[in-house]
Amino acid sequence: MKYKFKTEKIMNLILFLTICVIFAFSNIRIISIIMQAIFSIFVYLRTFKTRNLSMYFYWMFIFFVWLIFSTFFSINLIASINDIINLTLKFIFLLALSLYIDSEEKIITVIKYIIISGLILCVRVVVFSPFELFGIKRLGFSLGLNPNTLGISLAYASICVMFLGEKLKNKRYYIFLLPYLILVLLSGSRKAILTIILSIFLLTFLSIKGKNFKISRIIFLSIIVCVLFYITMNVPLFYDVVGRRLENANFLSNNNVDGSTRVRLNMIKDGWNLFIQKPITGFGMDSYRILSPYSTYSHNNYIELLSSTGIVGFLIYYFFILTILFRSIKFKKYNKLFNIIIIFIIVILFNDFM
């Protein structure tokens, strides 16, 4: 019993350090890979003893069989194999995490680790970013962090704070939202801001329970959205970094948008044209970067998958995600913890477009 308790404590420490590195030090890739590998090895050693594999493993196996098959049609075999290896490392960790989380207590623990990691990221950004850049340039670059990655990481931490505050009925958790929201705005990430707004509405909608629904909850969350929008568009510190970018992000028109939005729309168009050329198998992983004039990822996961793996790979990948979503919706009436799974999946599906 003592040995089991000690093992769990070690596992929790390794998991915390891994999540902390993923969130707060994502630019230090080698440390992230090492921590994910250590955690995964611990989990798999325990899993092989019990021989308990999740359906995530079988989905991952089918998906990777198709990825390997698609390499035969790849325009660049080496690039495709490298991309498959990188994807494999991520999926191995996610599988280990899904195997490890086998109780409600562990889900809450992971949520708390994400919140703490988000705070560590905030401290790192504030301490190591030159003060003169605040409100002038998007935060993140000076630390080697992509501003969108910084914004999205803090947006996910915000989701965890709002969910835990609602789940535990403890409004003190909402205090953590303040540093998250400020740095999300200063990161200039439109995706992160829209993620937070979407998650607020999802959390509000999912907490509706017939006649027992408290109108105070929807008012409180709506106030957060209104305040967020007001300071973004009226406070110079935030407007110069992100407010102007939101004004120019008119996706309904390709004429009155900023350069960044126009490029994204053209990237989607070019990716769709690649998919039309090889709709079944695609051109192989990482093909968009090679075939498009942009020499980078398409910034749209739907287009990336369609052009790289064809319609088959696309359907395999999203079939599993949608299966988890529908199962979570089905069981949310029995346990509120399914709400955060629903929110994260919908947010991920939304962000995959941007």
Coordinates of all heavy atoms in Angstrom, one line a residue, residues 306-339:
L306 N -6.7 17.3 -45.1 CA -7.3 17.0 -46.4 C -6.2 17.0 -47.5 O -6.2 16.0 -48.3 CB -8.3 18.0 -46.8 CG -9.7 17.9 -46.1 CD1 -10.5 19.1 -46.4 CD2 -10.4 16.6 -46.5
S307 N -5.3 17.9 -47.5 CA -4.2 18.0 -48.5 C -3.1 16.9 -48.3 O -2.5 16.5 -49.2 CB -3.6 19.4 -48.6 OG -3.0 19.7 -47.4
S308 N -2.9 16.5 -47.0 CA -1.9 15.6 -46.7 C -2.3 14.2 -46.6 O -1.6 13.3 -47.1 CB -1.3 16.0 -45.3 OG -0.7 17.3 -45.3
T309 N -3.5 13.9 -46.1 CA -3.9 12.5 -45.9 C -5.2 12.2 -46.7 O -5.7 11.0 -46.7 CB -4.2 12.2 -44.4 OG1 -5.4 13.0 -44.0 CG2 -3.0 12.6 -43.6
G310 N -5.7 13.1 -47.4 CA -6.9 12.9 -48.2 C -8.2 12.8 -47.3 O -8.1 12.9 -46.1
I311 N -9.3 12.5 -47.9 CA -10.6 12.4 -47.2 C -10.6 11.2 -46.2 O -11.2 11.3 -45.2 CB -11.7 12.3 -48.2 CG1 -13.1 12.5 -47.5 CG2 -11.7 11.0 -49.0 CD1 -13.3 13.9 -47.0
V312 N -9.9 10.2 -46.5 CA -9.8 9.0 -45.7 C -9.2 9.3 -44.3 O -9.7 9.1 -43.2 CB -9.1 7.8 -46.3 CG1 -9.0 6.6 -45.3 CG2 -9.8 7.4 -47.6
G313 N -8.0 9.9 -44.4 CA -7.3 10.3 -43.2 C -8.0 11.3 -42.4 O -8.1 11.3 -41.2
F314 N -8.7 12.3 -43.1 CA -9.5 13.3 -42.5 C -10.6 12.7 -41.7 O -10.9 13.1 -40.5 CB -10.0 14.2 -43.6 CG -10.9 15.3 -43.1 CD1 -10.4 16.5 -42.7 CD2 -12.3 15.1 -43.1 CE1 -11.3 17.5 -42.2 CE2 -13.2 16.1 -42.6 CZ -12.6 17.3 -42.2
L315 N -11.4 11.7 -42.3 CA -12.5 11.1 -41.6 C -12.1 10.3 -40.4 O -12.8 10.3 -39.4 CB -13.3 10.3 -42.6 CG -14.0 11.1 -43.7 CD1 -14.7 10.1 -44.7 CD2 -15.1 12.0 -43.1
I316 N -11.0 9.5 -40.6 CA -10.5 8.7 -39.5 C -10.2 9.6 -38.3 O -10.6 9.3 -37.1 CB -9.3 7.9 -39.9 CG1 -9.6 6.9 -40.9 CG2 -8.6 7.2 -38.7 CD1 -8.4 6.1 -41.5
Y317 N -9.5 10.7 -38.5 CA -9.0 11.6 -37.5 C -10.2 12.2 -36.7 O -10.3 12.1 -35.5 CB -8.1 12.7 -38.1 CG -7.6 13.6 -37.0 CD1 -6.4 13.3 -36.3 CD2 -8.2 14.9 -36.8 CE1 -5.9 14.2 -35.4 CE2 -7.7 15.7 -35.8 CZ -6.5 15.4 -35.1 OH -6.0 16.3 -34.2
Y318 N -11.1 12.8 -37.5 CA -12.2 13.5 -36.8 C -13.3 12.6 -36.4 O -14.2 13.0 -35.5 CB -12.7 14.6 -37.7 CG -11.8 15.8 -37.7 CD1 -11.0 16.1 -38.8 CD2 -11.7 16.6 -36.6 CE1 -10.2 17.2 -38.8 CE2 -10.9 17.7 -36.6 CZ -10.1 18.0 -37.7 OH -9.2 19.1 -37.6
F319 N -13.4 11.4 -36.9 CA -14.4 10.4 -36.4 C -14.2 10.2 -34.9 O -15.2 10.2 -34.1 CB -14.4 9.1 -37.2 CG -15.3 8.1 -36.6 CD1 -16.6 8.1 -36.9 CD2 -14.8 7.0 -35.8 CE1 -17.5 7.1 -36.4 CE2 -15.6 6.1 -35.3 CZ -16.9 6.1 -35.6
F320 N -13.0 10.0 -34.5 CA -12.7 9.7 -33.1 C -13.0 10.9 -32.2 O -13.7 10.7 -31.1 CB -11.3 9.3 -32.9 CG -10.9 9.0 -31.5 CD1 -11.2 7.8 -30.9 CD2 -10.1 9.9 -30.8 CE1 -10.9 7.6 -29.5 CE2 -9.8 9.7 -29.5 CZ -10.1 8.5 -28.8
I321 N -12.6 12.0 -32.6 CA -12.9 13.3 -31.8 C -14.4 13.5 -31.7 O -14.9 13.8 -30.6 CB -12.2 14.5 -32.5 CG1 -10.7 14.3 -32.5 CG2 -12.6 15.8 -31.8 CD1 -9.9 15.4 -33.2
L322 N -15.1 13.3 -32.8 CA -16.6 13.5 -32.7 C -17.3 12.4 -31.9 O -18.3 12.7 -31.2 CB -17.2 13.6 -34.1 CG -16.8 14.8 -34.9 CD1 -17.3 14.6 -36.4 CD2 -17.3 16.1 -34.3
T323 N -16.7 11.2 -31.9 CA -17.2 10.1 -31.1 C -17.1 10.5 -29.6 O -18.1 10.3 -28.8 CB -16.5 8.8 -31.3 OG1 -16.7 8.5 -32.7 CG2 -17.0 7.7 -30.4
I324 N -16.0 11.0 -29.2 CA -15.8 11.4 -27.8 C -16.7 12.6 -27.4 O -17.3 12.6 -26.3 CB -14.3 11.9 -27.5 CG1 -13.4 10.7 -27.7 CG2 -14.1 12.5 -26.1 CD1 -11.9 11.1 -27.6
L325 N -16.9 13.5 -28.4 CA -17.8 14.6 -28.1 C -19.2 14.2 -27.9 O -19.9 14.6 -26.9 CB -17.7 15.6 -29.3 CG -18.7 16.8 -29.3 CD1 -18.5 17.7 -28.1 CD2 -18.6 17.6 -30.6
F326 N -19.7 13.3 -28.7 CA -21.1 12.8 -28.6 C -21.3 12.0 -27.4 O -22.3 12.0 -26.7 CB -21.5 12.1 -29.9 CG -21.6 13.0 -31.1 CD1 -21.1 12.5 -32.3 CD2 -22.2 14.2 -31.0 CE1 -21.2 13.4 -33.4 CE2 -22.3 15.0 -32.1 CZ -21.8 14.6 -33.3
R327 N -20.3 11.2 -27.0 CA -20.4 10.4 -25.8 C -20.4 11.2 -24.6 O -21.1 11.0 -23.6 CB -19.2 9.4 -25.7 CG -19.3 8.2 -26.7 CD -18.2 7.2 -26.6 NE -18.3 6.5 -25.3 CZ -17.4 5.6 -25.0 NH1 -16.4 5.2 -25.8 NH2 -17.5 5.0 -23.8
S328 N -19.6 12.3 -24.6 CA -19.5 13.2 -23.5 C -20.9 14.0 -23.3 O -21.3 14.2 -22.2 CB -18.4 14.2 -23.7 OG -17.1 13.6 -23.7
I329 N -21.5 14.4 -24.4 CA -22.8 15.0 -24.4 C -23.8 14.1 -23.8 O -24.7 14.5 -23.0 CB -23.2 15.5 -25.8 CG1 -22.3 16.6 -26.3 CG2 -24.7 15.9 -25.8 CD1 -22.5 17.0 -27.7
K330 N -23.7 12.8 -24.1 CA -24.7 11.8 -23.6 C -24.5 11.6 -22.1 O -25.6 11.4 -21.4 CB -24.4 10.5 -24.4 CG -25.3 9.3 -23.9 CD -25.0 8.1 -24.7 CE -25.9 6.9 -24.2 NZ -25.5 5.6 -24.9
F331 N -23.3 11.6 -21.6 CA -23.1 11.3 -20.2 C -23.0 12.5 -19.3 O -22.8 12.4 -18.1 CB -21.8 10.4 -20.0 CG -22.0 9.1 -20.6 CD1 -21.2 8.7 -21.7 CD2 -22.9 8.2 -20.1 CE1 -21.3 7.4 -22.3 CE2 -23.0 6.9 -20.6 CZ -22.2 6.5 -21.7
K332 N -23.0 13.7 -19.8 CA -22.8 14.9 -19.0 C -23.9 15.1 -18.0 O -23.7 15.7 -16.9 CB -22.7 16.2 -19.9 CG -24.1 16.7 -20.4 CD -23.9 18.0 -21.2 CE -25.2 18.6 -21.6 NZ -25.9 19.2 -20.5
K333 N -25.1 14.5 -18.2 CA -26.2 14.7 -17.2 C -25.9 13.9 -15.9 O -26.5 14.1 -14.9 CB -27.5 14.2 -17.8 CG -27.6 12.8 -18.3 CD -28.9 12.5 -18.9 CE -28.9 11.1 -19.5 NZ -30.2 10.8 -20.2
Y334 N -24.9 12.9 -16.1 CA -24.6 12.1 -14.9 C -23.4 12.7 -14.1 O -23.2 12.4 -13.0 CB -24.2 10.6 -15.3 CG -25.3 10.0 -16.1 CD1 -25.2 9.6 -17.4 CD2 -26.6 9.7 -15.5 CE1 -26.2 9.0 -18.1 CE2 -27.6 9.1 -16.1 CZ -27.4 8.7 -17.5 OH -28.4 8.1 -18.2
N335 N -22.5 13.4 -14.8 CA -21.3 14.0 -14.2 C -20.9 15.3 -14.9 O -20.7 15.3 -16.1 CB -20.2 12.9 -14.3 CG -19.0 13.3 -13.4 OD1 -18.7 14.5 -13.2 ND2 -18.4 12.3 -12.8
K336 N -20.8 16.3 -14.2 CA -20.4 17.6 -14.7 C -19.0 17.7 -15.3 O -18.7 18.6 -16.1 CB -20.6 18.7 -13.7 CG -22.0 19.2 -13.4 CD -21.9 20.4 -12.5 CE -23.3 20.9 -12.2 NZ -23.3 22.1 -11.3
L337 N -18.2 16.7 -15.0 CA -16.8 16.7 -15.5 C -16.8 16.5 -17.0 O -15.9 16.9 -17.7 CB -16.0 15.6 -14.8 CG -15.4 15.9 -13.5 CD1 -14.8 14.7 -12.9 CD2 -14.4 17.0 -13.6
F338 N -17.9 15.9 -17.5 CA -17.9 15.8 -19.0 C -18.1 17.2 -19.7 O -17.8 17.3 -20.9 CB -19.1 14.9 -19.4 CG -18.8 13.4 -19.2 CD1 -19.3 12.8 -18.1 CD2 -18.0 12.7 -20.1 CE1 -19.1 11.4 -17.8 CE2 -17.8 11.4 -19.9 CZ -18.3 10.7 -18.7
N339 N -18.5 18.2 -18.9 CA -18.7 19.5 -19.5 C -17.3 20.0 -20.0 O -17.3 20.7 -21.1 CB -19.3 20.5 -18.5 CG -20.7 20.3 -18.3 OD1 -21.4 19.5 -19.0 ND2 -21.3 20.9 -17.3

